[in-house]
Amino acid sequence: MRGSNCKMNIAAVLNGLLVSVLAAVLWKYAKLQEHTYSVEEELLLTQQSQELSQVRIDYHAALQSLQEEGTRMVCTGKMHTDRICRFDYLCYSTEAEEFVFFHSNSSVMLPNLGSRRFQPALLDLSSVEDHNTQYFNFLELPAAALKFMPKPVFVPDVTLILNRFNPDNLMHIFHDDLLPIYYTMLLYPDLDQDARLVFMEGWNEGLHFDLYRLMSNKQPLLKEQLKNFGKLLCFTKSYVGLSKMTTWYQYGFVQPQGAKANILVSGLEIRQFTRFLMEKLNVSMEESSSGEEYIVVFSRTVNRLILNEAEIILALAQEFQMKTVTVSLDDHSFADIVQIISRASMLVSMHGAQLITSVFLPRGAVVVEIFPYAVNPDHYTPYKTLASLPGIDLQYVAWQNTNEENSVAFPDRPWDQGGIAHLEKAEQERIMKSKEVPQHLCCRNPEWLFRIYQDTKVDIPSLIEAIRQTVKTKLNLKKAKPAIVVHPGKVRDPKCQASIQGTSEARLTVSWQIPWNLKYLKVREVKYEVWIQEQGENTYMPYILPHQNYTFSENIKPFTTYLVWIRCFFNKTLLGPFADVLVCRT
């Protein structure tokens, strides 16, 4: 018995020693990894510095060019909200944290706005329109002042200088940064893959900095890193600002959030961008060799949880007779998420930034967005708006929890995670009794935060019914062909001829030829819109006609001059331009 105890004690001691040794090894490994990451960061910064120094142009030649040829600023756009400016020798003082424009006799500044460039700014550094934290301007000095300043470092790269809006949020990264960067670079040929991005908003890298690295072959620079290169940096050629043409949503800074009033982008441009990004991520764009269709549930793991996620996965698989898988930002690389979603037939997710990955869904796929209790889907529509863009070819379903008992709120959390304990007791009670979050401005509305950070138990029959209202048959949608949007041209050779039938009756015959591009198109439905207006009157008579020759008699008076406009349209909504106005006298 004593021998047995001795053996057990020896085993325990050896086991303890083994655990201690293993712990020491793991601790040492962790410290080594930590040191490795630190060294890697230093090497990266050193590499950036070397990149600049290796290609740094001759200092004296650059300084002479700045002083003799002069600085230049040429901008496009009439207002600060749509302006992008190109600069030659725009400088930045890392001490003052200000951009500087050095004037000489050869300087060019167009438009020369004078003090108007401070009303409120020369331009927006971000694609988010007219946000007072995103304004850009510069100080002015005579070029002679360079004699008394630190020796400038001339950066030879063509640079795009901008602000990222919120680099910790995927929706903002794609909508406000990556898409606008991509199309701004397409606008200017010298902003190619060897251009350098410079981020001036002051954030650190953020959670998804690798996505920004995909936009250029050069390492992007952060504002904080500019200090490492000198006290005065001069960018030999730079573009400042971002195109806003690809944005479709406004976040509620002036009015409650919603789709932009004038959306200029279609799904075709967005899909071109996603193809570029998939190539950069080395994600295959070919269909799976197995041809298997499946549903993806995007899982949140920290907050705004779906409490019965496992049951939803089982129910979707049974209802649609299709494999159902989950992805999450915690468990998958972004490239893996893109690969999985790009072949899915349906994406189901709680409302949140992760739903921007729906841009990678194949044509014809379904986006299902789940909203917590008291959050009206009609008031928060970034992904509904995306899915409705022409040419994106996605189907959209919104489902809202209407049963408060199926929600779990967190009033004691910090305010930015939905907590309301910091509010007056009466306000807390009002929020907890409310049935719907009223429309509001961005960004710290406590009622909105309280409700949007709830966890939700989804009513599965109700969810399936909502999906079925959109998806009537078995999911088999990935073969959908892109809808190319083509508008008709002007009708050709428009003519009018009048005849008088008596003292009170007249006829007006109008004819035209089809638009030139129509003969090269296969169009389901072609019709013509004709407007007839009596000269001097404010109203007109509109007609929709299926053919190219028509005689009008109703309301046509003899000895009267009429103005006639004609245009073609395809498939009920694709309008062409009006032909030149016809002047017809009866």
Side-chain angles (χ1 to χ4, degrees):
M1 192 76 176
R2 192 174 295 173
S4 176
N5 286 337
C6 182
K7 288 179 182 178
M8 289 177 63
N9 289 337
I10 291 172
V13 169
L14 290 174
N15 190 49
L17 285 172
L18 182 61
V19 170
S20 299
V21 170
L22 184 60
V25 170
L26 288 174
W27 181 86
K28 190 171 183 179
Y29 175 77
K31 286 294 181 183
L32 185 61
Q33 282 287 92
E34 185 179 319
H35 177 69
T36 302
Y37 293 145
S38 176
V39 170
E40 284 177 353
E41 288 179 5
E42 290 179 16
L43 287 173
L44 184 59
L45 195 56
T46 303
Q47 181 184 353
Q48 292 172 359
S49 181
Q50 288 173 346
E51 281 180 17
L52 288 180
S53 61
Q54 286 170 1
V55 292
R56 193 173 291 163
I57 57 180
D58 180 76
Y59 166 75
H60 296 289
L63 186 60
Q64 183 178 0
S65 178
L66 186 156
Q67 293 172 327
E68 294 181 2
E69 297 178 19
T71 50
R72 290 182 177 84
M73 179 195 82
V74 179
C75 303
T76 59
K78 294 182 179 180
M79 305 294 292
H80 73 280
T81 52
D82 63 357
R83 192 173 285 144
I84 297 175
C85 295
R86 177 198 152 159
F87 289 88
D88 290 346
Y89 297 108
L90 176 68
C91 298
Y92 179 73
S93 167
T94 58
E95 289 183 310
E97 296 189 347
E98 296 275 6
F99 284 95
V100 186
F101 187 91
F102 289 99
H103 283 280
S104 70
N105 293 333
S106 303
S107 292
V108 173
M109 186 181 283
L110 289 174
N112 198 327
L113 298 172
S115 62
R116 285 176 293 164
R117 69 179 174 88
F118 305 115
Q119 300 172 0
L122 178 64
L123 55 81
D124 293 334
L125 265 179
S126 153
S127 69
V128 176
E129 186 168 314
D130 202 23
H131 194 291
N132 60 9
T133 66
Q134 308 298 314
Y135 291 158
F136 169 85
N137 243 312
F138 52 79
L139 302 179
E140 297 174 86
L141 284 172
L146 283 163
K147 297 177 183 178
F148 310 102
M149 300 185 73
K151 183 178 179 180
V153 173
F154 289 94
V155 181
D157 301 325
V158 180
T159 56
L160 176 59
I161 299 171
L162 64 127
N163 277 1
R164 299 172 298 165
F165 192 70
N166 183 353
D168 285 337
N169 180 291
L170 271 178
M171 167 64 185
H172 289 294
I173 289 171
F174 274 79
H175 180 267
D176 307 334
D177 300 343
L178 298 183
L179 258 166
I181 288 170
Y182 178 74
Y183 278 102
T184 300
M185 293 177 76
L186 282 187
L187 284 173
Y188 302 100
D190 44 355
L191 282 175
D192 56 22
Q193 286 293 291
D194 289 321
R196 192 182 295 274
L197 304 178
V198 180
F199 303 140
M200 296 302 301
E201 77 290 328
W203 289 67
N204 58 22
E205 288 188 352
L207 298 174
H208 304 282
F209 197 66
D210 284 345
L211 293 176
Y212 294 97
R213 289 190 177 103
L214 300 175
M215 306 307 293
S216 165
N217 296 330
K218 299 282 180 69
Q219 172 73 9
L221 292 175
L222 303 177
K223 179 181 178 180
E224 187 63 27
Q225 293 171 334
L226 299 182
K227 297 176 182 177
N228 298 301
F229 306 124
K231 293 183 177 180
L232 185 66
L233 272 67
C234 293
F235 300 95
T236 55
K237 182 185 289 186
S238 59
Y239 293 84
V240 182
L242 284 176
S243 168
K244 298 180 176 68
M245 288 190 292
T246 59
T247 59
W248 64 85
Y249 204 71
Q250 58 83 18
Y251 300 117
F253 298 115
V254 177
Q255 61 187 17
Q257 66 170 276
K260 287 177 64 174
N262 185 24
I263 297 176
L264 302 176
V265 68
S266 78
L268 300 176
E269 288 76 39
I270 291 174
R271 288 197 178 278
Q272 180 179 331
F273 164 73
T274 58
R275 286 195 296 273
F276 161 82
L277 213 59
M278 289 172 73
E279 287 178 4
K280 290 288 186 176
L281 289 166
N282 293 318
V283 170
S284 171
M285 285 177 276
E286 297 180 1
E287 287 189 21
S288 171
S289 57
S290 67
E292 182 183 30
E293 296 193 22
Y294 55 86
I295 297 169
V296 174
V297 174
F298 209 125
S299 180
R300 293 176 65 100
T301 58
V302 177
N303 53 42
R304 209 178 306 161
L305 306 179
I306 298 174
L307 298 174
N308 56 337
E309 189 175 280
E311 291 91 333
I312 288 175
I313 292 168
L314 182 60
L316 290 170
Q318 290 176 339
E319 176 68 23
F320 295 99
Q321 293 297 295
M322 197 176 292
K323 179 181 176 182
T324 303
V325 300
T326 62
V327 297
S328 76
L329 292 170
D330 293 329
D331 298 330
H332 297 81
S333 70
F334 193 78
D336 286 343
I337 290 172
V338 170
Q339 183 73 82
I340 294 167
I341 289 178
S342 68
R343 296 173 176 174
S345 295
M346 183 188 298
L347 174 62
V348 180
S349 176
M350 178 63 73
H351 172 82
Q354 71 283 348
L355 263 171
I356 193 60
T357 55
S358 60
V359 296
F360 296 103
L361 282 167
R363 297 181 187 279
V366 182
V367 184
V368 181
E369 184 172 11
I370 296 171
F371 287 85
Y373 176 78
V375 179
N376 188 336
D378 293 336
H379 296 168
Y380 311 95
T381 60
Y383 311 111
K384 180 180 180 180
T385 305
L386 168 64
S388 66
L389 293 177
I392 198 74
D393 295 331
L394 295 175
Q395 302 181 75
Y396 176 84
V397 177
W399 180 88
Q400 180 192 4
N401 175 27
T402 57
N403 185 353
E404 189 171 9
E405 292 182 358
N406 286 341
S407 286
V408 178
F410 300 93
D412 296 323
R413 281 182 176 174
W415 71 268
D416 57 347
Q417 297 173 33
I420 56 174
H422 63 290
L423 301 175
E424 296 287 340
K425 201 70 176 176
E427 179 65 0
Q428 292 183 43
E429 291 176 359
R430 184 197 68 78
I431 289 174
M432 295 183 75
K433 290 178 181 177
S434 71
K435 304 298 183 185
E436 181 175 308
V437 178
Q439 287 190 284
H440 56 89
L441 298 182
C442 189
C443 299
R444 298 190 175 193
N445 182 284
E447 187 170 349
W448 150 252
L449 292 170
F450 175 72
R451 292 301 185 186
I452 199 59
Y453 278 106
Q454 296 171 114
D455 294 344
T456 301
K457 180 182 178 183
V458 173
D459 182 331
I460 293 175
S462 172
L463 175 66
I464 296 295
E465 182 183 355
I467 297 173
R468 275 299 183 198
Q469 287 178 359
T470 297
V471 183
K472 303 296 184 184
T473 59
K474 184 180 185 296
L475 282 170
N476 188 14
L477 308 165
K478 292 198 284 188
K479 303 297 184 183
K481 294 182 179 179
I484 298 175
V485 178
V486 178
H487 291 262
K490 286 183 180 181
V491 300
R492 294 175 300 142
D493 197 21
K495 297 176 182 177
C496 61
Q497 185 175 353
S499 61
I500 297 175
Q501 305 299 310
T503 57
S504 60
E505 293 184 15
R507 291 183 178 180
L508 185 63
T509 299
V510 181
S511 63
W512 59 89
Q513 299 299 314
I514 65 171
W516 177 80
N517 63 336
L518 180 55
K519 61 184 178 181
Y520 300 104
L521 297 171
K522 292 181 179 180
V523 181
R524 187 175 67 251
E525 182 181 36
V526 179
K527 289 191 177 180
Y528 300 91
E529 186 174 11
V530 178
W531 295 0
I532 300 178
Q533 181 183 41
E534 184 177 336
Q535 193 172 48
E537 297 293 323
N538 292 325
T539 59
Y540 62 88
M541 298 174 287
Y543 301 88
I544 303 296
L545 305 171
H547 45 76
Q548 300 147 240
N549 187 304
Y550 199 83
T551 299
F552 301 90
S553 57
E554 185 179 356
N555 298 318
I556 301 297
K557 298 182 289 189
F559 312 110
T560 304
T561 300
Y562 291 95
L563 306 178
V564 180
W565 290 268
I566 310 163
R567 68 176 170 185
C568 178
F569 63 92
F570 296 161
N571 303 335
K572 297 182 181 179
T573 59
L574 299 176
L575 301 175
F578 281 107
D580 295 338
V581 62
L582 290 175
V583 181
C584 311
R585 181 168 178 79
T586 58

